[in-house]
Structure formats: C-alpha cells, structure tokens
Amino acid sequence: MRVERSTTSTVGREAELATLLAAARSAATRMLLVSGDAGVGKTRVVEETLLALREEGWRVLVGHCLDLGEASVPYLPLAEVVDALPTASVDGSPDRLPAGLAEGLSGLGRGGAPGSADGPRGRAEVLDAVLALVESVGRDAPLALVLEDVHWADPSTRDLVGFLLARRLSGRVLLVLTYRADELHRRHPLRPRLAEWLRLAGVERVALEPLPGSAVRDLVAALVSGHGDGPAPPETDLARVVARAQGNAFYVEELVGALVDGGGRLPDDLADLLLVRLDRLGERAREVVRVASAAGQRVSHDLLARVLDLDERDLEAALREAVDARVLVRSGATAYAFRHALLGEAVHDDLLPGERARLHTAYAAAVRDSPDATAADLARHALASHDLATALTASVAAGEAALAGGGPDEAAQHFGTALEIHARGAAGLDDPPEPTVLVGRASEALTEAGRPDAALALVDDHLRRLAGDAPPVARARLLLARFEALRATEADARPSRVTAEGLALVGVDPTPLRARLLAGHAHALVWDDDLAGAAAAAEQAIAMAEALGLDAVATDAGLTLTWLGHEGALGPGQDDGVVDRLRGLVDQARSRGDLAGELRGHLRLGAVALDHGRLPEAQRAYLDAWHRAVAAGRPWTNYGIAGRTTAAVVAVVRGRWEEALALVDHRREDPPPVSRALLDGVRLAVAAGRGEVGALDVLPALRERWRREGLIAVHGGGAALDLLGRRDGAEAAVAGYDDVCDALAPTWGRSFGARLRLAASALAVLADHAATTPSDARDAVRATGVRLREDGEQVVHAHRQRGFGPEGRAWQARLHAESLRLAWQLGDPVDRAALVGAWRDAVAGFEQYGQVAEVARTRARLAAVLRPGGTPGEVEEARALVEQARAAATELGAVPLLEELGTAGRPVAAGLTPREAEVLALVAEGRSNAEIAGRLFISAKTVSVHLSNLMAKLGAASRTEAVAVARRTHLLG
C-alpha cells in the first residue's frame, strides 16, 4: 500500500477555494483573512488560490512569520518579500525596485531597523518605503501580498498591515493574511487588531472549519492507494481515522500513515507535536490536564474536582490557564473538553501505566457517587481499571441508553465491548447477560447505524462459534438477529430459510421469540412471492403478539399484510383501504415510540403512492421516513436511508433534478459505505440525464456494493448505461446492462421488475448508435436487440398476474417502441403505422406516469418517426413535439436530449427542401438508396430524384462531394 506523505489535495475545500477566488477577483476586496486551526489546510487552499491568480496575470509576493518568541525581529516577513522580488514578475524577468527604494529597505527583517548610509530610518519612513514598494510592484499588474501565520507576527508587521489598509493604494493590491485560530488566546495581541481590521470596508474573513467526515474519507482515499503492497484498510479502521482526526487534514495524513505502517497507534511525532502545548502551562495546570485526559474527551467540573486533590481556587486557576492556552475549551455550562480529541489522546498515552490505572480507579469511584455520571462513563473507567464485572454490566446499560437516545454507533461500541469481555466479566456476576441476546442488540445497533454488513458478519461469526450443545433457543435468537440484518442487506437470496429454521427450533408454544420469528417469516415469504404463506404467518404473528402484549411485533406483521392487498394490481384510487390501514399503523407505532414500525409504515405509504403514479404523495411519504429517522438520531438506518434515496429518485422522475441533488448531497456528512453508494447512485442518474460522462468515475465504488444492496445497481448501474454509451459506444452500454443483471439475478431472480427498464434503456442506446453501425456488424446488433427485447418481455410475462403500475406500463411500451426504432435505424423493413403507434403509446405511458425527462425523450423520438412520410398535419405535430421536448430539456439541462433535438430543429439551408435535407443526412451516414427509402417510407426511385436535386443545388458531382460540401458549410452540424 502506498501513502502520499504530504497533504497535496484540496479535497473538501472546494467551497472555500471558490470563496477566496471570488473575493480576490472582486475589486472591492482589499484584504482576505484566512483562519483555521493548525493543520486544517489553510496553506494549501491559499496556494491553490494564488496559483489561479498567477495564471490570470497577478504578481504574488509571500512572506512568513516565524515563532521566535522573545527574539522577535521587526518586519521579518517583509524581508522574505523583498528577497523574492527578482522572481516575482509576471513574465519571469527580474523586477527592479525604484531608485532609492532598495536602499531604504536594506536591512529589513535582519535584526535592525531599515536604514541607509545616513543611519537608521524612522518608522514613518519605513512604512512609506513599503507603501512605495507595494505600489511600484503592483503598478503594471494586480498584486497579492501574502503574509502567512500572522499569529506570530511582530508588532511592526501588524502595524504595517494596518498602515496599508488605511491608505488608498494605486492599482489592484490584495493583502492575504493567514493565522491559526487555535493560537489566539484571550490576551493574544492579534485579537484587537483583527477586530479593528474587520470593521473596515473591503476586509473579508474566510474561516476553514474542520473537514466533514465525508471529505475526510475522500482525503483518506487520496492518501491510500490500494494498488501498492497491500490491501486498503478495512472500513472499521477508516471510520476510526475519521473519528480521531476530527476534520484536520494534517492529522488525517499522520493517522493514515500510522495505520498503513501498522497498528494505527498515535504516531510519536504527532504526539510530541501535540504535547508541546503542555509545555506552555505551569505545573499545576499540566497536572489538571493530565487528570482530565483520563476522563475522556469531556469532563464535568464536579467530576474533575472529585478526582483531583486541589483547593477549588487552585483548580479554577489551573483550568483558567489551560483554557486560555486553548488546551481545554468550555463544553456546555459545567464541563470542559480538549480542544482536539487527539491532544487528549496524546496526554492520556503519555501517562505511566500505574498512574493511568490509579486515575481510572478514582474516576470509577467518583462516577458511582455522581448523580450526573452515565453508564458509559462507568464502563470506560471500570474497563481501564480492570474491573471487568462492573465494566460488563455498565457496557450493557450504556448500550441500551445509547440506543434509546439515538446513538446507534455508540450503542454498537458498548455492546461490542460487552461481548469482548463477557467470558471474563461474567464470572464475577450472579446473573450475567446472555451472550446471544447481546449479539442481537449489537446487530440491531449496527444495522440502525447503517452498517448491516458488519451486523451480519457479527451474527454469522457467533453462529459459527456457537457450541453444539447450546440450547435451541440460543441459536434461534441468533437466527432472528441474522434475519433482521438481512432486511437491510441482500447477502442471502432466501432469508425465509433463516426464519423457518428459527421457528423449528422454538417449538409451537407462544413466546415473544416465536412471535418475532413469525413476523419476520411473513416478511421473508413476501420476498419469495409466497403470498398465501406470508398471510398465514402474519396472521399467526398478530394473534400471538396481541396475546403477549407485543405491539411492535403486531405492527410489523400488520405492515406485511398490506403488501398482500396491493402489489400494483389495483388501479388508481382503488387502494384507499390499504392507505387507511397504513396510516393507522403509522399513528399507532408513533404513539408507542415504535420507530421501526413508523418508518416502515411511511415507506409502505410511499410505495403504494408510487405504484399508482401519485408522485408528489409518494415523495412526501418517503421524506417523512427520512426526516423521522434523522429526528430520532438514526439517519443511516435502512428505513431512513431508503426514504431519503427514494424521495430523491421520485424528485428525478418529477423533473426536479436540483432538488434531487440537494437530497443526496452528503458532502457535510459521513455516511456509511452502503448509504453513500445509494446516494451517489441517484446523483449519477442526474449526471446521466445531463450527459456528464466524468461522473462515471464513481461507478467502480458503486459496483462493489451491488450484490449487497440491489438498489445501488438499479439506480447507479442503470443510470450508467446512457453514460457508458455516450463515452464508449453501444457495446459498453450493453455490457453494463449485463453486469447489472448478473449482479441482481442471484438475489432478485432473472425476471426482476427493474430489468424491464434496464432492457429498454440498453435497447435505446443500441438504437442510438445503430445508424452508424457498419453493414457487416448489423446482424450482431440485431441479435443483441432481440435478446434485450426478449429479456424485457420475460419480465412482462413474469408479472402478468400482478400487472404493472403506471411506471411499468410506460417502460413496457418503451421497450416495444425502442425495438421498432432499432430495426428502423438499421434499415430493416418497418411498418410506419406500427412504428408511430408504438411511440405514441410510449409518450402516453410516460405522460400518465409523470416522468418529465422520459416524456421529453419519447416526444422527441415520436417527432423523429412522424416526419418521414408524414402528412402535413403530422409534420406540424412533430414540430410542436420538438419544441415541447426542447423546452423541457433546456429546463433540466439535459444536454444529450438537446443534442438529439438539434438535428430535428436545424433550419434547412442552401435552398434544400426538408425531404432533401433528410436524404442528405442519411447519405452522410453511409446509407444506400434502398436503406434511405426504408427509413423515409418512400421508393428508391424517389430517393434518387431527391439526391439528384440536392447535388445540383450544392454544386456537387457525386454523393461523396455533396456530403463534403454539406459538412464544410455546416449543413450537417
């Protein structure tokens, strides 16, 4: 594995870079203040800004302030600027300072005041000399004067900045100052200057906040190459880097290096750098910080006071010193936290082993006596002090509290810790928790955190290690946990076998475990299309759940029953009973605090509305699921991310592409891999509609998840077909279609519903390219077209009993229309009435469904088949269809469709009639007269007449010359 050891990327800083460039280019901006913590990426963003400005003709001068402590040198960064002048010109030739100016600035920054042969100059003369320098250098081109790390600036340099801001400079001069926000303690001399400067006109501040988790992951990907000498780090390690780095690019770099080098322990160099901050503190403040490090990232004042043997005034003075030095910061009204978590980690790691154990033992005792302490606090300190029995009990309690409080990630960690220490900690307890119960809770937490793969791996590991003589109920618990994980992933094509095995193990007596297994089994049988079996299992589950008082289980089974009276077989307006039942179940689940039931109910409401073409209603229901999941602290749970993703898909269908992009924008978040892939798949769909081929870069990452989550393949892989065809041709699009279907077939079967749309889409790309297919390759294209059409028809046959809703019917019509269009494009005999009728059906289907982009596309293609051989009325209809399609494509930014419409809307030139222009275009494609006749539904003799006429008008002696003339005069685009 290869790691780049320098942060050379502006990953996650695109917005700040754009802001800096916009401000720099604004004539009103005089100074840019760029702030951020050490290592957050200020220098890199400024460097990128300066690079762009240099390309625009700016001169750039850069000086650096240094941390020299008491040995401060006046005007030190200006000395670097003066030294750089010979290389600062725009054209590369040395700049010469005006007469007398070089002498006036001699000695600048070298330990003495600038002076001349007559002796030292006063401050006013120095400032005037610098002003003259700036105006001289910036006379012929805009000048950017950059001072880095002004938190270390000497007083003279700070005065100089204020002096330049107070002057009306000739030319375009921009001051750019960077400083570390974490260095500005309360009495820092730069603080009042910043406040003064920010009140002036033309001064802007750009604060670089920590990178969001999503950007940190992108940065890690840029630093780590999986093509080196080892595999990429596992997801758990990457997640730990994200959590520890807290958005600091430098820390990311160091942590990734440590991870790749082995172990992932805080690197010694980074730890030493962090611990330098402690050297600035007095002995008592250092001791307080060391004790605070054992508490974790955050510690309350009362808890710290309980552990420290200090007078209250001494404690407050030490804390004040640590806060002023930006080692600790206030956290809420009564607590403190480390300015950066890695600093706390470094301080804790620096404790001696005995000292560390003693502190954690003291904290554990204090936590037990503290009414404000949490089970998580007790678990952490008990574990660190080797009190495993207490740690086990507290970890379970902490996991339950985290789940109840909307912290599934934290809950998974606590339950995971309990499982790790169970064998040793249980010995000290009279009634230890059952391990398989803990596995179920840990799996639930992982799933709700958006990590169903990890949940499944955990359960499967414990199933493999379960003792052969374990009670049947223990295995049944694990099987139920496995099914619950399978609800959120697609690693098993037949989860009903899992629930069936569990039911066989628990017997027939009514128990909570059997009721839950019955409800799960009903859901699994729906996936198997065993609707009768699903109904029977659901009804048994409901009866048993009601008898046992398991309301959430009854809701789960009740939601499954709503599938059985629906499934697209009803027409619009005929599902009111299903909708009413669903709304009742959602209300009941909400009133009981049954989040899973409520979310699943919202999703079912969305599915019913979507299947019946009520798109706004469907989108609202899906958004309800997502918003409720977010409010509950579970944005990545399967039901929450399904709501968000499907709401975005519906927005795409409705032609609200910007709204869809906003919904799937995760740049300020850190989604788990599956959730990220789902969101990126929808983003790819919009990119496909706009012809943005570069978006295919995300396809390999999506493809890795196809077999675990089929919707990633449907949305992302399906969207990629158009882009693959646009970039690499029809064969690539068909290969992409086969790839998606091969990934989905093992789980979804060969005739899954989405295959109809995929087949029609691939067939469309094939037809798009058919006109330019060489004659000797057309038989292979025909065969591929037949295969794609038959694939789609098999889906229609498989769903003949349930039927399709508006979307399925629209794609069924589209499949037929694209099949005829392919034959027409290949020059095969096609009945014009059948071709036109098929496209009218396709237009009507998408108009009924409301898919804006496909309505426009089918209208454009109906227009294309109406014109050849059309009556005057049909030609006029085609013109109107083209204008409607163009209006929609323009609003959407659908570049490929606009390109397709370009030929249809191009005015006829050079005196050619519309028919002659059509003949010329087909000649340019290499068509024979017979093929042209078939395309235009006219005789070959009529084609010959049109060809002769257009050749005469163009002054061409041959077909080839006619095409050459047309291209030269832009008649063919």
Side-chain angles (χ1 to χ4, degrees), residues 7-25:
T7 305
T8 59
S9 173
T10 54
V11 171
R13 295 299 183 197
E14 295 82 3
E16 290 90 341
L17 180 58
T19 299
L20 285 171
L21 284 172
R25 292 162 180 159

Side-chain angles (χ1 to χ4, degrees), residues 471-488:
V473 70
R475 182 172 180 83
R477 286 197 199 100
L478 292 179
L479 290 171
L480 177 60
R482 189 173 202 278
F483 168 75
E484 293 295 348
L486 288 173
R487 286 207 208 207

Side-chain angles (χ1 to χ4, degrees), residues 408-718:
D409 285 294
E410 294 79 3
Q413 293 173 7
H414 291 306
F415 287 128
T417 297
L419 285 168
E420 288 176 8
I421 65 175
H422 188 276
R424 293 169 293 160
L429 296 173
D430 294 333
D431 186 21
E434 166 59 42
T436 56
V437 173
L438 293 180
V439 172
R441 298 301 279 162
S443 175
E444 179 184 347
L446 287 167
T447 300
E448 292 197 2
R451 298 162 56 198
D453 286 351
L456 193 61
L458 173 70
V459 175
D460 285 348
D461 178 59
H462 281 268
L463 277 169
R464 284 190 298 270
R465 295 193 286 112
L466 190 66
D469 59 352
V473 70
R475 182 172 180 83
R477 286 197 199 100
L478 292 179
L479 290 171
L480 177 60
R482 189 173 202 278
F483 168 75
E484 293 295 348
L486 288 173
R487 286 207 208 207
T489 184
E490 294 179 341
D492 192 326
R494 292 288 303 280
S496 59
R497 292 176 296 195
V498 176
T499 50
E501 182 185 351
L503 286 169
L505 289 170
V506 298
V508 297
D509 293 337
T511 63
L513 180 57
R514 179 170 178 80
R516 291 187 175 93
L517 282 165
L518 276 170
H521 192 54
H523 194 174
L525 290 175
V526 171
W527 294 337
D528 291 349
D529 286 335
D530 182 359
L531 303 188
E539 288 166 357
Q540 291 179 51
I542 291 172
M544 193 174 295
E546 290 176 345
L548 296 171
L550 304 172
D551 294 334
V553 177
T555 297
D556 188 23
L559 288 167
T560 297
L561 282 177
T562 65
W563 283 92
L564 311 181
H566 173 224
E567 284 299 279
L570 303 175
Q574 297 182 32
D575 59 346
D576 291 343
V578 172
V579 171
D580 289 343
R581 289 199 301 276
L582 281 170
R583 287 174 177 162
L585 289 169
V586 168
D587 290 342
Q588 292 170 20
R590 183 186 302 116
S591 66
R592 292 193 305 266
D594 174 12
L595 181 66
E598 183 183 351
L599 297 183
R600 191 178 168 209
H602 285 307
L603 294 182
R604 287 291 300 120
L605 282 167
V608 171
L610 187 61
D611 282 349
H612 292 84
R614 301 195 296 269
L615 300 182
E617 179 185 333
Q619 189 174 354
R620 284 194 300 271
Y622 288 125
L623 286 173
D624 285 343
W626 176 43
H627 291 154
R628 186 68 187 89
V630 171
R634 290 164 170 78
W636 310 120
T637 185
N638 182 51
Y639 299 136
I641 192 62
R644 179 176 179 179
T645 303
T646 317
V649 170
V650 177
V652 172
V653 171
R654 298 178 66 195
R656 302 183 174 207
W657 288 3
E658 292 304 321
E659 182 180 328
L661 290 175
L663 279 170
V664 300
D665 184 359
H666 57 72
R667 287 175 295 179
R668 309 305 297 180
E669 303 170 275
D670 182 27
V674 171
S675 298
R676 172 184 284 228
L678 281 166
L679 297 172
D680 285 345
V682 181
R683 185 163 55 86
L684 188 60
V686 176
R690 291 177 169 167
E692 298 168 355
V693 173
L696 283 171
D697 290 347
V698 76
L699 188 59
L702 299 186
R703 195 179 182 284
E704 292 179 5
R705 308 286 172 185
W706 285 1
R707 294 184 184 274
R708 289 289 187 176
E709 176 49 72
L711 289 179
I712 299 172
V714 169
H715 298 319

Side-chain angles (χ1 to χ4, degrees), residues 156-367:
S156 297
T157 298
R158 294 194 295 269
D159 290 343
L160 173 64
V161 172
F163 173 78
L164 292 176
L165 282 176
R167 296 298 181 272
R168 185 181 297 277
L169 303 176
S170 62
R172 176 78 173 100
V173 178
L174 174 69
L175 296 175
V176 181
L177 275 57
T178 71
Y179 65 92
R180 295 181 182 175
D182 53 334
E183 292 283 352
L184 299 191
H185 53 75
R186 185 180 300 275
R187 293 182 298 276
H188 196 287
L190 186 60
R191 273 184 176 273
R193 292 302 184 92
L194 289 174
E196 172 189 333
W197 295 338
L198 284 167
R199 287 195 294 268
L200 300 176
V203 178
E204 295 190 40
R205 177 161 58 185
V206 178
L208 270 65
E209 300 296 335
L211 290 168
S214 183
V216 172
R217 285 180 179 271
D218 292 339
L219 182 56
V220 171
L223 293 168
V224 178
S225 170
H227 303 289
D229 55 4
E235 166 60 25
T236 51
D237 288 342
L238 295 183
R240 181 158 164 73
V241 169
V242 173
R244 296 170 78 194
Q246 289 187 314
N248 187 293
F250 173 70
Y251 295 166
V252 173
E253 184 178 324
E254 292 296 314
L255 291 172
V256 169
L259 177 63
V260 171
D261 292 340
R265 186 178 177 273
L266 192 66
D268 290 339
D269 289 345
L270 177 56
D272 291 343
L273 181 63
L274 291 166
L275 291 173
V276 165
R277 287 181 174 274
L278 264 65
D279 295 339
R280 306 172 186 174
L281 302 178
E283 180 60 35
R284 185 166 290 160
R286 283 200 298 270
E287 176 64 18
V288 168
V289 170
R290 291 164 70 83
V291 173
S293 73
Q297 172 62 11
R298 183 178 184 276
V299 60
S300 71
H301 184 95
D302 289 345
L303 188 61
L304 191 60
R306 287 170 181 264
V307 175
L308 272 162
D309 185 18
L310 275 181
D311 176 82
E312 182 65 22
R313 288 190 177 184
D314 291 339
L315 174 60
E316 289 177 354
L319 285 168
R320 166 62 66 185
E321 185 179 352
V323 168
D324 285 349
R326 309 281 283 178
V327 173
L328 298 178
V329 295
R330 294 182 181 86
S331 178
T334 61
Y336 305 93
F338 278 88
R339 181 69 176 80
H340 197 288
L342 282 186
L343 174 57
E345 186 178 332
V347 175
H348 185 261
D349 288 348
D350 195 48
L351 297 173
L352 296 174
E355 182 182 17
R356 189 179 304 131
R358 176 180 58 78
L359 284 175
H360 283 293
T361 299
Y363 268 114
V367 165

Side-chain angles (χ1 to χ4, degrees), residues 849-915:
Y849 180 47
Q851 190 160 358
V852 173
E854 293 305 333
V855 168
R857 198 193 309 249
T858 50
R859 283 175 175 170
R861 291 178 184 172
L862 173 57
V865 300
L866 274 174
R867 282 190 307 272
T871 65
E874 288 176 326
V875 172
E876 182 59 32
E877 180 187 359
R879 185 175 296 110
L881 288 167
V882 166
E883 291 310 312
Q884 291 172 344
R886 180 177 288 110
T890 301
E891 184 174 350
L892 292 171
V895 173
L897 181 53
L898 287 170
E899 292 173 352
E900 183 177 336
L901 289 164
T903 301
R906 188 180 300 126
V908 177
L912 301 184
T913 67
R915 180 66 81 196

Side-chain angles (χ1 to χ4, degrees), residues 906-914 916-917 920 949-955 962 965-972:
R906 188 180 300 126
V908 177
L912 301 184
T913 67
E916 288 166 354
L920 177 60
N949 290 340
L950 71 89
M951 287 168 57
K953 291 178 180 179
L954 296 176
V965 170
R967 294 194 188 283
R968 189 168 59 250
T969 57
H970 305 292
L971 293 181
L972 292 173

